[in-house]
Amino acid sequence: MIKKFDKKDEESGSGSNPFQHLEKSAVLQEARIFNETPINPRRCLHILTKIIYLLNQGEHFGTTEATEAFFAMTRLFQSNDQTLRRMCYLTIKEMANISEDVIIVTSSLTKDMTGKEDVYRGPAIRALCRITDTTMLQAIERYMKQAIVDKVPSVSSSALVSSLHMVKMSFDVVKRWVNEAQEAASSDNIMVQYHALGLLYHLRKNDRLAVTKMLNKFTKSGLKSPFAYCMMIRIASKLLEETEGGHDSPLFDFIESCLRNKHEMVVYEAASAIVHMPNCTARELAPAVSVLQLFCSSPKAALRYAAVRTLNKVAMKHPSAVTACNLDLENLITDSNRSIATLAITTLLKTGSESSVDRLMKQISSFVSEISDEFKVVVVQAISALCQKYPRKHSVMMNFLSNMLRDDGGFEYKRAIVDCIISIIEENPESKETGLAHLCEFIEDCEHTVLATKILHLLGKEGPRTPTPSKYIRFIFNRVVLESEAVRAAAVSALAKFGAQNDDLLPSVLVLMKRCMMDSDDEVRDRATFYMNVLQQKQKALNAAYIFNGLSVSVPGLEKSLHQYTLEPSEKPFDMKTVPLATAPITEQKTEIAPVATSKLPEKLAPCRQDIYQEQLAAIPEFQALGPLFKSSEPVQLTEAETEYVVRCIKHAFTNHMIFQFDCTNTLNDQLLQRVLVQMEPSEAYEVLNYVPAPSLPYSQPGSCYSLVRLPEDDPTAVSCTFSCTMKYLVRDCDPNTGEPDDDGYDDEYVLEDLEVTVADHIQKVLKPNFGAAWDEIGDDNEKEETFALATVRTLDEAVNNIISFLGMQPCERSDKVPENKNSHVLFLAGVFRGGHDVLVRARLALADGVTMQVTVRSTDENVVDVILASVG
Amino acid sequence: MDTLILEPSLYTVKAVLIMDNDGERMYAKYYDDTYPTVKEQKAFEKNIFNKTHRTDSEIALLEGLTVVYKSNIDLYFYVIGSSHENELMLMSVLNCLFDSLSQMLRKNVEKRALLENMEGLFLAVDEIVDGGVILESDPQQVVHRVALRGDDVPLTEQTVTQVLQSAKEQIKWSLLR
């Protein structure tokens, strides 16, 4: 089988590699011998191989030269050399997108596909489908149908897989081959079964009923192919997810039965499917975990890897379910495959006890430099989780993290470490100084601008409040001297915060600021000048407003308002209060992602939810005169989950009005609803001004209707109200299959649950990074204080959560976390009331029998203070 | 935790790669747009090679993709799939590729032998994976379908029959037109 090339080629190919130093032009020159008669199969074969090799190396072929070579190649169909013909098919496939007029070979390929040579038929089908478009496909439809049910497996498989590729392009044509695919699915050949199942699923996936039937049929008849079983498990778990079927359904039983399959591939697929199911109980997990446990001691690295990776995922949700495997995982710590060892250790860190932490950390630091960045991130995430679980271990962790920070690594890895250190600092006040020291050391030599600015910001926030703030100044000022513009600007802002908060440092900060004013970059100079002037005033209120607590408006909103302002020049100065506020930064969700391709996703700055609503509402003419959108609430369900119509409401607050947006979904496939609106009956002095109905609501396509309500003007304290809601609409019955409605319909109505408007709907959350400064800034002009007894509340935690959710304000200074074993706590809340009035709440809580609460409210508007106190009482 | 359930699909393999012991591409076939340009592909290959060529540990996670690999003398074989893919499926593709080549090259899986049989390699991969779908996982079947003919037909004889054959073909061809 080893081929000897022609002598000439042997010599020209330098030494061992005949393909080294291939010149595209020379090869194309050689391709001229395709036109010689008689055809020399051996030489032609060698040249085709060279062409494909070049394409494979990423060599670029121009359209003209590719077309020329392609046309010369078509002549080779005259030769009957098997290998040569097969290479022609490959060339066709490789050149399908580069050369022009590739369809010229259609007839030759059709001939081969229906011919007697079985060796040709499969590859010919695949090549043919590669160059075929929808119109041509119909011409060969007959042959494709025959090929799908052909008794030669390679032909049948090729036809099925090619059909699958073409589903994307010509779904309607391929759909007609469903019967043939069905027949192929009962083939004896395992690959044909697999391919037929895949094609059938793709053709039917939009029809849940058909998929269920298909699955039932195959689970009963039993397939031989392990690949097909894996596919069925995936289909079954997808169905389970969609139907939210309970775990007593036959689908779940099927997946569980696959745990006893004789192929490891199927067993693993089933175990992984069960683990990934949402809301799986520990009991249901147990069989899956025990097969994974067996796999942990497999001699195959891939299987061990798969098992421990899946166990790692289980451990995130159900650490107790994995503890049974701890012994097996311990054995994997020393695995020669570092990925497996890392996963084993991080799993153990999640399931193990506090006493084993030190040992595991020591083990992991012995080889952390050998593993890839992806796994280092996994390690850091595990540590981060561990710190939350065992706060007392933070010194061990901090040491370890700082060592990792010194090692080489990519951006993602460093960011994970920095995030982890920051979260430890926030959780454990006693670790603050060491943590900040490590971070200071890190930014001395940090190539990532984003991280450096982030750390500088943190230093500015936390540094001034440490016992010895002066030691951070040096680190920060070093940045001003050495780094890029963005970092220098961040360093200037951080310096300003030190100056504003520490009077004894102020003179030195001012000196440093003066030097920054000579910077070469505009932004740095501007910031330095600005802060310099603010600091020289030595006024607490100014410091608070311009140095500690920055703007709280939404940036896209500000951009839009400013643009609007420049379009319509007016005498009035631009009013900051007309700009919609930024929705409070949702505390970073600690999603524990497996090391997937997160780093590759482009990080888009998605417009936040409220900006989207703002756009949508502004597009409705009735709502244009209302001013900027102040706040949009979370959706409230107004129906039970399983009813004919599903309605949820979003409350949009404006300065003097509210809009209620009702998102309605019609779940009856035999009805078309038209002119849908929700009638509202207020309990208080609210006045319903206008309804904007949804014109039409077909089956399962959500639509929105709106109600506009004016808030009572004479009584600003009337902030809460209950509305009774009724949905009114015109019903037209329609054919469930075609969706064709009857000509006439009838009016009907549907009673919804009552809708409550509470004080939280009028307040937007705003984070004040320095609450104390903001508190002083507002001053005590409108301060009121009252004491309440919360008799029903038993713990401080519960009280804190109740207050936050009731007032809808942003907890500041991490005061929403109540330290353990304390009898008293102070909660700081900040927000902006409708109309743009800042409001701050300080709630002192004391735990005796019930919880006693002393609430102090400050605001720029007196009414707001009354509203808050009245609603708390 | 990502509870995402994958869209059931036959598209399993993202790429098949073969490199030599300098990390140079011997063969590379990408089946989707994860790495659309040659530049990105080469960078990815370099990264893979650097991370894997010193260890013989069979499986790794790189750039968010699962990579299963195997080395023999001076060749490195890689099969790449999504990180959510069943690792054993990828492994079966890798094993099938390696075993098929091993049979075709008479257990002589090394760079030189492979270079002399590049067309065999091209055809074998074409039989194992088609556009990302696993087409065949049994090396016997693959070898059978590739059906590379040896040198058993003497050269002179072959040329005579060939001339006759092609003459016949020529006539047929001109008639067809």
Side-chain angles (χ1 to χ4, degrees), chain A residues 811-856:
Chain A
C812 299
E813 313 265 329
R814 303 184 70 78
S815 62
D816 51 332
K817 295 248 165 68
V818 183
E820 279 172 62
N821 307 325
K822 282 266 193 80
N823 286 332
S824 64
H825 182 68
V826 187
L827 173 68
F828 301 114
L829 295 172
V832 172
F833 194 79
R834 180 167 53 75
H837 304 292
D838 273 328
V839 50
L840 300 175
V841 171
R842 186 182 64 197
R844 289 203 170 96
L845 302 162
L847 182 70
D849 270 344
V851 174
T852 321
M853 172 171 79
Q854 184 192 44
V855 180
T856 317

Side-chain angles (χ1 to χ4, degrees), chain A residues 519-709:
Chain A
D519 197 279
S520 59
D521 182 69
D522 294 352
E523 173 71 22
V524 182
R525 273 200 313 273
D526 289 353
R527 283 199 195 189
T529 317
F530 175 72
Y531 288 132
M532 180 87 182
N533 285 312
V534 173
L535 287 173
Q536 277 169 340
Q537 305 299 317
K538 297 191 182 162
Q539 287 182 23
K540 279 243 152 69
L542 277 181
N543 286 349
Y546 297 111
I547 296 181
F548 300 127
N549 301 324
L551 285 177
S552 54
V553 294
S554 96
V555 178
L558 178 61
E559 188 186 344
K560 214 173 287 162
S561 305
L562 283 172
H563 181 64
Q564 197 65 34
Y565 185 75
T566 53
L567 287 182
E568 298 162 10
S570 75
E571 293 296 301
K572 283 188 294 178
F574 179 74
D575 184 7
M576 225 27 200
K577 291 210 168 128
T578 61
V579 182
L581 291 168
T583 30
I586 304 153
T587 33
E588 207 174 308
Q589 284 168 328
K590 293 232 165 79
T591 39
E592 300 224 25
I593 31 164
V596 289
T598 41
S599 55
K600 294 197 64 194
L601 298 173
E603 287 186 20
K604 275 187 290 186
L605 184 69
C608 70
R609 196 170 141 261
Q610 188 161 345
D611 292 324
I612 299 171
Y613 288 135
Q614 167 96 32
E615 293 262 297
Q616 283 174 356
L617 293 175
I620 300 170
E622 282 87 341
F623 302 151
Q624 269 170 0
L626 301 180
L629 173 60
F630 179 72
K631 182 188 181 180
S632 299
S633 73
E634 291 297 315
V636 186
Q637 295 292 345
L638 294 183
T639 51
E640 304 282 330
E642 300 279 319
T643 45
E644 299 95 307
Y645 314 114
V646 179
V647 180
R648 46 176 217 163
C649 177
I650 299 163
K651 298 171 267 189
H652 302 289
F654 289 79
T655 315
N656 295 312
H657 299 83
M658 286 192 93
I659 293 178
F660 299 92
Q661 172 183 346
F662 297 94
D663 293 338
C664 316
T665 311
N666 171 11
T667 62
L668 299 176
N669 60 0
D670 56 353
Q671 280 190 358
L672 171 71
L673 307 188
Q674 288 183 317
R675 298 202 300 273
V676 185
L677 59 84
V678 176
Q679 191 168 26
M680 304 177 76
E681 295 292 335
S683 64
E684 306 282 328
Y686 284 49
E687 186 188 351
V688 182
L689 296 180
N690 204 347
Y691 292 111
V692 178
S696 137
L697 211 58
Y699 165 57
S700 85
Q701 286 176 21
S704 301
C705 59
Y706 302 90
S707 307
L708 174 62
V709 170

Side-chain angles (χ1 to χ4, degrees), chain A residues 427-439:
Chain A
E427 301 279 334
N428 306 283
E430 64 264 44
S431 68
K432 193 188 279 177
E433 290 226 30
T434 37
L436 287 181
H438 289 314
L439 292 176

Side-chain angles (χ1 to χ4, degrees), chain A residues 314-530:
Chain A
V314 183
M316 288 179 190
K317 263 194 186 165
H318 303 276
S320 54
V322 189
T323 36
C325 310
N326 277 0
L327 214 66
D328 305 78
L329 290 169
E330 292 270 356
N331 291 331
L332 293 181
I333 291 181
T334 48
D335 201 292
S336 65
N337 185 326
R338 292 311 188 196
S339 308
I340 296 177
T342 316
L343 284 168
I345 291 186
T346 50
T347 314
L348 282 171
L349 284 176
K350 291 187 190 100
T351 61
S353 61
E354 191 166 355
S355 55
S356 61
V357 170
D358 290 318
R359 186 172 54 86
L360 291 171
M361 296 302 280
K362 198 174 270 173
Q363 185 87 38
I364 204 166
S365 45
S366 66
F367 64 78
V368 77
S369 57
E370 294 172 39
I371 56 181
S372 68
D373 270 13
E374 268 94 347
F375 281 106
K376 288 183 185 163
V377 175
V378 177
V379 174
V380 176
Q381 283 170 343
I383 294 175
S384 178
L386 205 60
C387 290
Q388 284 172 2
K389 204 160 128 202
Y390 304 121
R392 271 180 299 161
K393 287 284 168 196
H394 67 81
S395 61
V396 185
M397 309 290 175
M398 199 58 105
N399 249 329
F400 181 73
L401 287 171
S402 70
N403 283 332
M404 283 173 101
L405 208 48
R406 279 184 210 121
D407 292 339
D408 292 336
F411 170 66
E412 283 301 323
Y413 169 50
K414 297 280 168 165
R415 186 172 71 173
I417 303 178
V418 170
D419 285 348
C420 183
I421 294 187
I422 293 179
S423 77
I424 296 179
I425 292 175
E426 287 175 346
E427 301 279 334
N428 306 283
E430 64 264 44
S431 68
K432 193 188 279 177
E433 290 226 30
T434 37
L436 287 181
H438 289 314
L439 292 176
C440 281
E441 186 195 327
F442 173 60
I443 52 170
E444 285 287 289
D445 181 24
C446 169
E447 59 199 303
H448 308 292
T449 312
V450 183
L451 292 181
T453 47
K454 188 168 186 172
I455 293 172
L456 283 169
H457 180 77
L458 181 81
L459 284 177
K461 199 170 130 220
E462 302 289 347
R465 289 186 254 179
T466 54
T468 48
S470 55
K471 69 176 176 193
Y472 301 106
I473 301 271
R474 182 174 63 85
F475 290 103
I476 298 176
F477 193 67
N478 279 347
R479 298 306 101 219
V480 181
V481 184
L482 299 167
E483 298 279 352
S484 64
E485 296 81 16
V487 182
R488 293 207 299 271
V492 168
S493 302
L495 271 182
K497 287 181 187 156
F498 280 86
Q501 216 153 338
N502 303 85
D503 290 335
D504 44 334
L505 286 177
L506 184 61
S508 5
V509 168
L510 286 175
V511 171
L512 295 176
M513 278 292 172
K514 228 175 232 148
R515 287 178 60 180
C516 299
M517 282 159 70
M518 260 113 46
D519 197 279
S520 59
D521 182 69
D522 294 352
E523 173 71 22
V524 182
R525 273 200 313 273
D526 289 353
R527 283 199 195 189
T529 317
F530 175 72

Side-chain angles (χ1 to χ4, degrees), chain A residues 1-5 10 15-19 37-42 45 49 52-53 56-58 74-75 77-78 80-83 86-87 90 93-94 108 111 119 123 126 153-154 157-158 161 164-165 168 191 194-195 198-199 201-202 205 227 230-231 234-235 237-238 241 264-265 268-269 275-278 300-303 305-306 309 313-314 316-317 336-337 339 372 374-375 591-592 594-597 600, chain B residues 1-12 24-29 34-35 38 41-42 51 55-66 68-69 82-89 91-92 103-106 108 111-120 122-123 126-127 130-137 141 143-151 153 155 158 162-163 165-166 169-170 172-173 176-177:
Chain A
M1 226 177 280
I2 294 177
K3 291 195 55 85
K4 295 187 200 95
F5 291 118
E10 193 101 5
S16 63
N17 186 349
F19 294 99
T37 322
I39 292 167
N40 180 341
R42 196 169 306 225
L45 176 64
T49 311
I52 297 181
Y53 181 84
N56 201 276
Q57 288 294 320
T74 55
R75 248 195 105 249
F77 270 91
Q78 294 177 26
N80 265 349
D81 185 277
Q82 277 194 358
T83 316
R86 298 286 307 280
M87 288 302 279
L90 275 191
K93 287 209 271 190
E94 294 287 339
S108 311
K111 196 168 124 237
V119 187
R126 301 204 301 272
S154 74
S157 275
S158 294
V161 173
L164 181 69
H165 294 324
K168 283 182 225 113
M191 291 318 282
Y194 171 56
H195 297 138
L199 179 62
Y201 175 71
H202 273 271
K205 65 181 165 192
F227 293 107
C230 290
M231 182 74 186
R234 286 182 200 183
I235 300 175
S237 52
K238 176 131 176 90
E241 186 207 40
E264 282 168 340
M265 187 195 290
Y268 169 63
E269 184 75 42
V275 166
H276 282 102
M277 268 175 212
K300 295 181 198 158
L303 194 52
Y305 171 88
R309 197 159 103 93
K313 283 191 187 136
V314 183
M316 288 179 190
K317 263 194 186 165
S336 65
N337 185 326
S339 308
S372 68
E374 268 94 347
F375 281 106
T591 39
E592 300 224 25
V596 289
K600 294 197 64 194
Chain B
M1 166 167 182
D2 48 343
T3 47
L4 123 151
I5 292 190
L6 287 175
E7 177 65 23
S9 159
L10 296 190
Y11 294 95
T12 309
E24 287 296 318
R25 178 194 277 195
M26 295 279 294
Y27 179 83
K29 186 95 191 149
T34 318
Y35 299 96
V38 178
Q41 292 177 358
K42 295 262 165 131
K51 286 275 158 54
T55 55
D56 53 345
S57 39
E58 186 172 313
I59 186 160
L61 186 73
L62 276 169
E63 304 190 15
L65 299 170
T66 298
V68 294
Y69 58 100
S82 142
S83 64
H84 303 285
E85 194 46 76
N86 187 326
E87 288 85 350
L88 301 182
M89 277 196 178
M91 213 55 208
S92 76
Q103 275 194 44
M104 285 159 57
L105 304 175
R106 310 216 171 121
N108 215 356
K111 186 175 169 184
R112 197 193 154 88
L114 187 69
L115 278 169
E116 287 175 359
N117 278 280
M118 278 309 266
E119 69 277 11
F122 292 149
L123 293 176
D126 184 55
E127 289 293 345
D130 183 82
V133 179
I134 304 175
L135 196 60
E136 183 53 72
S137 61
Q141 285 294 327
V143 174
H144 171 71
R145 286 183 203 169
V146 169
L148 267 190
R149 270 194 329 210
D151 283 295
V153 189
L155 208 70
Q158 199 190 13
Q162 225 171 46
V163 172
Q165 188 72 43
S166 62
E169 284 289 312
Q170 286 255 299
K172 233 194 270 173
W173 206 251
L176 273 173
R177 253 184 239 170

